[in-house]
Amino acid sequence: MRFAPFALPFALLLAACSGDEPTPAPSGSELVTDTPSAEPTDDDPEVRIVPATASSSPDGNDRAVKQESDYYDFSYSFPEAAASSPVLRKWFEDDIDAKRDHLIAAARKARDAAIAARIPFRRRVLLTKWSTIAEVPGFASLSAFAYAFDGGAHGMTTFRSFVWDKKAVARRPTLTLFASSRALAKAIRAPFCAELDRMRGKKRGQPVDAASKAEFEACIEPLGEGTVALASSDDLHFDGLTVLVPPGAAGPYVEGSYEVKLPVTAAVIAAIRPRFRKAFAVAPASPNAT
């Protein structure tokens, strides 16, 4: 069966998130080095602090906002078409402001502490890209990839998702379309575990024992570690689910993210709130199914 692909937004992380050889994520630049004993200031030649610059410009079909300085790098984009509603556009703009303000405040505090202690400082990073995964009559499914680096050994990847209800003009967290997260988890656990093990085996070059309880071999809770996004193969109904699992949850960090694609089944339909069932359909049988 055909699912709408989850578009990975940043080329520098593409390999790690697709299961190929992982590419190190940006770790930031060191701004402070060993200096004489005098108290450093922003004028210290060893400390390069530059004014931030910001711009908003189309990026393909996206609206992109980027702002950076020597101590932080902020980037956020969302689909221009998906934000045709003033209500949804305002939500994106508010999300940009909140995340940018938090990053700048945290990065400035960490930078100032590094200057005072005369220790290396690594630039803080927050990159977020929203993509439209599927659009069916009355609804659109969106998910976000986010990468954050806060000075540690490596950055962290996270995912978010929601469904835009066009008729109600409302943004709905994806799981609220279901009777409960427990009901959905029960409906998808068996196929999720089987597909996850298949993907693990492909990445590792050897089969994974489904009965193993070892770390990174035992199955994980699909909704405990993952984020669910809705997919469609016909643009008429949601007939697929993608469980987005961040690095370090289902395997070692170096394995990157897992995108576990599952069909909507009768069990999944039964877990959907009645008012939303018309937007879903059982996925057609795969031509490779036996």
Side-chain angles (χ1 to χ4, degrees):
M1 107 178 243
R2 179 172 61 88
F3 290 98
F6 176 72
L8 294 178
F10 303 105
L12 55 89
L13 293 176
L14 180 61
C17 293
S18 64
D20 298 329
E21 288 299 317
T23 300
S27 60
S29 57
E30 293 190 355
L31 305 185
V32 182
T33 58
D34 290 338
T35 56
S37 58
E39 281 296 313
T41 68
D42 283 4
D43 295 327
D44 191 316
E46 296 294 334
V47 183
R48 298 180 297 111
I49 304 300
V50 300
T53 59
S55 62
S56 300
S57 60
D59 179 13
N61 293 321
D62 290 349
R63 171 169 164 73
V65 175
K66 183 174 179 63
Q67 182 168 329
E68 62 181 328
S69 77
D70 267 11
Y71 63 96
Y72 68 88
D73 182 355
F74 176 84
S75 178
Y76 190 115
S77 67
F78 60 87
E80 189 74 39
S84 58
S85 165
V87 174
L88 185 53
R89 177 176 289 275
K90 184 178 186 305
W91 182 85
F92 279 124
E93 298 289 358
D94 288 347
D95 199 43
I96 288 171
D97 290 344
K99 286 181 168 46
R100 177 173 51 197
D101 290 351
H102 178 79
L103 173 68
I104 293 174
R108 183 181 291 120
K109 181 178 180 180
R111 178 207 64 180
D112 292 349
I115 291 174
R118 296 185 177 280
I119 60 176
F121 170 81
R122 304 173 76 185
R123 184 167 67 164
R124 300 318 195 233
V125 179
L126 180 59
L127 313 176
T128 303
K129 182 177 178 66
W130 284 95
S131 300
T132 300
I133 304 305
E135 194 161 3
V136 303
F139 299 92
S141 169
L142 292 90
S143 64
F145 166 95
Y147 169 80
F149 177 76
D150 63 2
H154 53 69
M156 294 298 296
T157 298
T158 57
F159 299 99
R160 301 166 67 191
S161 75
F162 67 81
V163 172
W164 177 245
D165 186 331
K166 298 177 183 179
K167 184 177 180 180
V169 193
R171 190 180 61 86
R172 303 186 184 279
T174 304
L175 292 181
T176 63
L177 275 66
F178 297 87
S180 69
S181 57
R182 180 178 298 180
L184 177 60
K186 182 178 179 181
I188 68 173
R189 181 171 175 78
F192 170 83
C193 291
E195 177 63 7
L196 177 62
D197 280 349
R198 186 197 69 79
M199 296 178 72
R200 283 167 162 171
K202 184 176 180 180
K203 285 190 177 186
R204 299 170 190 178
Q206 60 183 17
V208 173
D209 181 1
S212 175
K213 301 300 182 183
E215 184 180 19
F216 299 144
E217 291 185 2
C219 192
I220 64 172
E221 288 298 327
L223 304 186
E225 303 284 358
T227 298
V228 174
L230 304 181
S232 173
S233 64
D234 61 7
D235 297 330
L236 296 175
H237 300 91
F238 294 127
D239 58 9
L241 306 171
T242 301
V243 183
L244 306 167
V245 183
Y253 183 85
V254 295
E255 284 187 357
S257 303
Y258 281 88
E259 297 176 30
V260 184
K261 298 180 179 180
L262 305 170
V264 168
T265 62
V268 171
I269 295 290
I272 300 168
R273 293 180 185 273
R275 62 183 294 196
F276 299 118
R277 284 181 185 169
K278 288 184 178 180
F280 290 77
V282 172
S286 169
N288 298 322
T290 56

